Amino acid sequence: MLQPTFSLPLSSRAAAMWGLLECLGFVGILVAWASLVFVIKTEHYFEELCEPNAWLTGNTTLTDFKAQDEKFSLIFTLASFMNNFMTFPTGYIFDRFKNTVARLIAIFLYTTATLTIAFTSADEYSLLLFLAMPMLTVGGILFLITNLQVGNLFGKHRSTIITLYNGAFDSSSAVFLLLYEQGVSLRASFLFFSVFSVWHVGRTFLLLPRGHIPYPLDCGPEIEGERGPQSILLSPSEIPDPGQQKELRSFWGYAFSRRFAWHLMWLSMMQLWHYIFIGTLNSLLTTPAKGTRYVVGIYTNAFAITQFFGVLCAPWNGLLTDLLKQRYQKKASKTGFSASAVALCSTVPCLALTSLLCLGFALCASVPVLPLQYITFILQVISRSFLYGGNAAFLTLAFPPEHFGKIFGLVMALSAIVSLLQFLIFTFIKGPLQNDPFYVNVMLVLVTLLTFMHPFLVYGECQRKEGPPAIA
């Protein structure tokens, strides 16, 4: 008989805690792009592109930062694209070659990028940012993928741990601002994070298995490749029913399913909104109509500070999913739902809530009132935390764990193609719209409404009570 209790050994708790610290350790720098750009500008990167503007106010000549902002927008577009697009090949590497190989690649990319930024000169090597930023973001997302498997150690709390790690990934961007505000230079900050790579190596070989952490875990097995036994006990509700013990479809069978397609649309539309907001925030605040660079510093600092709270916001989405899953499992015998259908049903409220939060964020961002942007920042960090945490949690529940790396990578890679629209939108805003994004915002608000289709379709799929819901 399987024990009805759930206990964790010390090594599992240590793996979870150190994984959280690793995700907080600056691997999600792209989230705080507005603040990073503000700091990089003070270091005079691409300053030669700035020109005096013919528009005068009294005896003061204003500087035109348009060309400089366009260069930074291009770097952000490239980095955000690579951050998502390269998730598919890195996810394949994680599935195929497993944990240690994937993490060593992440360490190489991360360390090379931080050292490149630390030793670049704004006068001669500004263009190296086009290489360093994509490498830094790809290394960071690969660290996140390898850490998400730690949630498998926590049974019925699995979704909570997964969303917590996603929130920590977002919050890691605030670490850079905290260092800078304490007077630590850009070079010293990146040298510090280069040294931090020693910690990544140690955790790879000492606290994580060479292979994968399987899910579901059986009663008391050793985890594959682990240095020592892992006695993990699952509650009966976590044991898969016999209906789940079926031959798995091929990866492409899941990739071409309706469920995957609608989830891709759901993620891509809201992700595009967040990228456009982050990419244009700094340049929009620096226009003459908005105020001075002092004002920019106030708002970009406020934006970066709110990002730190992502680690506190994200777990609520996973906690809601876990609680709903446990509630539906109690009713499963009466409703006739299989375990896979129960897991899928538990994601519906979270998907809908994420769409609602993103809609609120989009509406606030569309109102051109600076003080209102403080509320926008709060909604942005909450909706973003729910978006990426909910994305990872949904993929772990809606698709088999054997394909998680590839499924996660593919959905992120395809959403990256959609995110390429951001550069065209940036150019459109800075050019014909003259830095007035109102009409673009209205269009994106309407697009956000389409994301509500996904939770409704998943709910309809859950109503098919005759065995596990079909996914094709």
Side-chain angles (χ1 to χ4, degrees):
M1 290 287 294
L2 292 171
Q3 301 294 325
T5 58
F6 180 77
S7 60
L8 290 174
L10 180 61
S11 57
S12 297
R13 296 182 188 276
M17 180 58 67
W18 293 123
L20 179 62
L21 293 177
E22 184 174 85
C23 288
L24 279 170
F26 199 57
V27 294
I29 185 176
L30 198 66
V31 181
W33 178 252
S35 296
L36 179 61
V37 165
F38 183 75
V39 173
I40 291 177
K41 284 182 177 180
T42 64
E43 299 287 334
H44 312 294
Y45 281 81
F46 300 113
E47 195 172 62
E48 69 278 3
L49 300 177
C50 303
E51 299 176 353
N53 198 317
W55 186 60
L56 301 177
T57 301
N59 296 323
T60 303
T61 301
L62 297 177
T63 302
D64 187 357
F65 299 100
K66 179 180 178 181
Q68 185 190 39
D69 288 337
E70 286 180 348
K71 190 72 71 173
F72 285 122
S73 294
L74 184 58
I75 293 174
F76 176 74
T77 301
L78 177 63
S80 59
F81 173 78
M82 294 300 291
N83 177 68
N84 289 349
F85 187 77
M86 290 301 295
T87 309
F88 181 53
T90 54
Y92 174 81
I93 290 173
F94 175 68
D95 283 348
R96 176 66 177 82
F97 300 102
K98 303 184 180 179
N99 195 58
T100 299
V101 172
R103 288 183 59 83
L104 290 176
I105 293 174
I107 292 168
F108 170 77
L109 293 173
Y110 178 88
T111 308
T112 303
T114 53
L115 288 175
T116 299
I117 297 175
F119 290 106
T120 54
S121 168
D123 297 329
E124 300 178 2
Y125 303 108
S126 294
L127 290 177
L128 285 178
L129 290 178
F130 282 94
L131 173 66
M133 288 306 302
M135 291 180 68
L136 187 61
T137 56
V138 172
I141 198 68
L142 189 48
F143 276 129
L144 177 63
I145 292 175
T146 60
N147 275 306
L148 292 179
Q149 63 179 326
V150 176
N152 294 347
L153 297 173
F154 288 81
K156 62 182 180 181
H157 304 297
R158 184 188 185 206
S159 296
T160 304
I161 298 299
I162 289 173
T163 52
L164 176 65
Y165 278 11
N166 275 271
F169 179 83
D170 290 347
S171 296
S172 67
S173 59
V175 175
F176 174 78
L177 181 64
L178 293 175
L179 290 174
Y180 186 77
E181 288 296 317
Q182 296 302 315
V184 181
S185 67
L186 182 71
R187 172 170 293 184
S189 297
F190 279 93
L191 283 175
F192 169 77
F193 288 112
S194 298
V195 175
F196 197 68
S197 296
V198 177
W199 154 250
H200 295 308
V201 174
R203 182 165 181 263
T204 298
F205 289 101
L206 297 178
L207 290 177
L208 288 174
R210 294 188 180 91
H212 295 146
I213 300 175
Y215 184 84
L217 297 170
D218 294 326
C219 181
E222 284 195 2
I223 295 176
E224 176 188 359
E226 185 63 74
R227 288 82 168 163
Q230 298 290 308
S231 180
I232 308 295
L233 301 179
L234 297 177
S235 65
S237 62
E238 287 297 310
I239 304 303
D241 56 64
Q244 283 187 283
Q245 310 298 327
K246 293 185 175 182
E247 183 179 354
L248 292 175
R249 289 187 178 204
S250 69
F251 161 70
W252 294 110
Y254 292 99
F256 286 106
S257 66
R258 287 196 302 267
R259 183 188 301 175
F260 180 87
W262 277 104
H263 185 71
L264 173 63
M265 181 278 299
W266 178 85
L267 174 66
S268 299
M269 294 301 100
M270 289 188 285
Q271 177 178 260
L272 181 62
W273 232 125
H274 284 275
Y275 278 155
I276 291 174
F277 178 76
I278 294 172
T280 59
L281 177 63
N282 189 271
S283 60
L284 291 178
L285 291 174
T286 56
T287 59
K290 299 290 184 183
T292 65
R293 293 251 170 179
Y294 173 74
V295 174
V296 178
I298 293 176
Y299 280 92
T300 54
N301 285 351
F303 174 73
I305 291 172
T306 57
Q307 301 308 304
F308 181 77
F309 293 94
V311 69
L312 302 179
C313 299
W316 292 102
N317 196 11
L319 180 62
L320 177 60
T321 300
D322 286 332
L323 291 176
L324 288 172
K325 184 178 178 182
Q326 295 171 42
R327 179 182 176 185
Y328 292 153
Q329 282 171 338
K330 294 178 180 178
K331 299 181 179 180
S333 59
K334 299 179 181 178
T335 61
F337 277 19
S338 65
S340 59
V342 167
L344 195 62
C345 285
S346 65
T347 66
V348 173
C350 299
L351 294 173
L353 180 58
T354 303
S355 294
L356 183 62
L357 286 169
C358 190
L359 179 61
F361 156 63
L363 291 173
C364 287
S366 301
V367 179
V369 178
L370 277 181
L372 182 63
Q373 299 314 304
Y374 290 115
I375 298 177
T376 304
F377 296 162
I378 295 172
L379 289 173
Q380 189 272 340
V381 72
I382 296 175
S383 61
R384 178 184 173 86
S385 299
F386 272 55
L387 175 63
Y388 288 106
N391 169 57
F394 177 83
L395 295 178
T396 60
L397 293 172
F399 299 96
E402 289 79 3
H403 297 310
F404 172 74
K406 296 185 289 293
I407 290 288
F408 182 83
L410 182 61
V411 75
M412 297 299 289
L414 294 177
S415 69
I417 297 176
V418 177
S419 72
L420 287 177
L421 292 173
Q422 65 183 287
F423 187 70
L424 297 177
I425 295 175
F426 292 158
T427 304
F428 188 59
I429 291 174
K430 297 178 191 303
L433 295 182
Q434 298 181 346
N435 269 348
D436 182 4
F438 176 76
Y439 294 106
V440 171
N441 291 344
V442 171
M443 178 191 69
L444 291 174
V445 167
L446 295 176
V447 170
T448 302
L449 293 173
L450 294 177
T451 63
F452 285 94
M453 289 292 296
H454 183 39
F456 279 112
L457 290 172
V458 173
Y459 177 77
E461 189 175 350
C462 289
Q463 301 311 300
R464 303 170 191 169
K465 300 181 180 180
E466 297 157 4
I471 67 164

